[in-house]
Amino acid sequence: GALIAEADAAIIEKGHTPFRQAALIVLRAASGLIHRYGAKAAELQQMAANEVSRSNYARIVSACQWIAEQPPRDFFEAIQLLCLVHEIILNEQNSGSLSLGRFDHYLAPYYESDKAAGKIDLEGLTSLVEAFFKKMASVPRAFQNLTVGGYDSVDGYCCNDLTRIALRTSRKLRKDQPLLTLRWHPSMPADLWEDILDLITTGIGFPALFNDEICIQAKTRRGISTQDAEQYAMVGCVEVSVGGREYAHTEGLRVSWLKVLELMLNHGSCLVSGEKYTLDEARELASIPDFDAFYAWYKRELQHFTHTAIQAANIL
């Protein structure tokens, strides 16, 4: 609701632009989808076979009625919103590898608040995290990565009940989704190694271990602020990305260097599909005097198609 109000205000104050209008359309659609999800849960609640199922559906109904327009008030509403927003994002993309970020970092305040109020205990938290992992395991076109641990200069090293439960849940369920990454730093509590090694010895390949000292340096060398670099998480398999700051979607763009050569030799025509592509400079092979001239032409065409591909990535 607050984001919709912000988009409305921007249009009123600064006028329509394609981005502002698109943002408003997406936000209203997201709110509507969450309301419909809640309505479906209400239908299922009436058909539920037992009181436990009816209670679970009622909880979803209540959560969706609130989070469709308001910020989450507790851990259950936060993780429900995470599920739904993630699904909305995946529906808009060509790939499911857009990932879940620092799971134990941004959800910890909701859990700590609920724990202090006596609304949730370790068993209840474990149940919800397991349900979330099962939900992510069922997402088609997946490769979504969930990152735990990690150091930042504001909060120190992130190690809490969510960190440990994520590691234990991955070990218990042995699903290939979500992929699980742990950010290591010298300040990591030594006793966390027990849960890390228990998971590694299953042989399922999790958690991937990333060195904060190296990864944060790598991001700052690229001009990213230390504050942003400290919030990095994994995308897909191993792409280090700052959530909300960059579109580190490596699989979103591939340029075939050999295809460029094929198009050059066939006046821009693809020999497989017959589709015609625009070359930077269409030339007859007979007009090229030597290999150096040919190679210079190839490099210009490679640059031309790379630029075209980057424009497409920027649109996404």
Side-chain angles (χ1 to χ4, degrees):
L3 291 173
I4 291 173
E6 185 180 333
D8 268 327
I11 289 173
I12 292 168
E13 294 169 15
K14 301 175 183 178
H16 283 268
T17 65
F19 173 77
R20 291 179 193 138
Q21 191 63 35
L24 195 55
I25 290 168
V26 170
L27 290 167
R28 286 174 174 162
S31 179
L33 182 144
I34 295 170
H35 275 301
R36 292 197 304 278
Y37 194 89
K40 184 63 179 179
E43 286 181 28
L44 295 172
Q45 181 186 1
Q46 299 301 316
M47 301 161 53
N50 56 64
E51 185 56 37
V52 172
S53 292
R54 281 192 291 273
S55 176
N56 287 337
Y57 283 125
R59 199 175 187 189
I60 293 170
V61 172
S62 174
C64 288
Q65 287 172 343
W66 180 262
I67 62 174
E69 288 155 8
Q70 302 293 336
R73 298 168 292 187
D74 57 25
F75 184 82
F76 182 84
E77 289 181 351
I79 206 164
Q80 179 69 80
L81 183 61
L82 175 59
C83 280
L84 291 169
V85 171
H86 185 64
E87 192 166 292
I88 290 165
I89 291 169
L90 295 186
N91 284 336
E92 189 187 40
Q93 300 297 324
N94 295 323
S95 168
S97 59
L98 295 177
S99 292
L100 299 159
R102 298 186 67 193
F103 179 80
D104 55 343
H105 186 263
Y106 60 73
L107 287 178
Y110 297 99
Y111 166 62
E112 296 297 339
S113 176
D114 283 1
K115 185 170 69 169
K119 291 177 62 176
I120 196 170
D121 57 16
L122 205 57
E123 183 180 355
L125 179 67
T126 300
S127 176
L128 289 176
V129 173
E130 286 186 7
F132 178 75
F133 271 51
K134 289 175 182 177
K135 181 79 170 177
M136 294 302 104
S138 71
V139 174
R141 299 182 294 113
F143 310 110
Q144 61 234 318
N145 204 314
L146 184 150
T147 300
V148 294
Y151 172 85
D152 67 70
S153 50
V154 175
D155 299 313
Y157 190 82
C158 180
C159 179
N160 53 46
D161 289 344
L162 276 164
T163 315
R164 300 178 190 279
I165 288 172
L167 292 163
R168 293 169 189 175
T169 299
S170 186
R171 175 163 56 95
K172 177 183 177 180
L173 299 180
R174 301 198 181 195
K175 301 287 189 181
D176 63 349
Q177 298 295 324
L179 291 84
L180 188 62
T181 292
L182 183 128
R183 287 176 42 179
W184 175 86
H185 186 268
S187 62
M188 185 186 84
D191 63 354
L192 189 58
W193 277 114
E194 183 176 348
D195 282 312
I196 294 169
L197 295 174
D198 282 348
L199 177 53
I200 287 174
T201 54
T202 64
I204 64 173
F206 301 143
L209 299 175
F210 280 77
N211 184 332
D212 270 4
E213 293 183 310
I214 300 302
C215 293
I216 292 169
Q217 284 178 26
K219 300 305 278 184
T220 56
R221 281 201 304 269
R222 299 298 299 162
I224 292 171
S225 72
T226 300
Q227 183 181 11
D228 282 344
E230 289 176 343
Q231 297 303 322
Y232 82 87
M234 290 302 120
V235 173
C237 302
V238 295
E239 298 93 324
V240 178
S241 174
V242 179
R245 292 288 187 269
E246 58 183 335
Y247 189 69
H249 187 185
T250 310
E251 290 295 297
L253 173 58
R254 293 179 179 180
V255 177
S256 170
W257 290 24
L258 185 59
K259 194 70 178 179
V260 172
L261 182 61
E262 177 192 312
L263 296 175
M264 289 167 57
L265 298 177
N266 294 279
H267 306 287
S269 292
C270 170
L271 295 182
V272 178
S273 68
E275 188 173 352
K276 188 81 172 179
Y277 292 84
T278 302
L279 295 166
D280 182 59
E281 180 189 3
R283 300 185 64 178
E284 295 293 338
L285 197 57
S287 70
I288 299 172
D290 53 38
F291 179 79
D292 288 341
F294 179 81
Y295 186 47
W297 178 36
Y298 173 78
K299 287 191 288 185
R300 287 198 305 274
E301 296 299 342
L302 179 60
Q303 183 179 34
H304 163 70
F305 282 108
T306 301
H307 177 69
T308 302
I310 289 170
Q311 285 181 309
N314 285 341
I315 290 169
L316 290 173

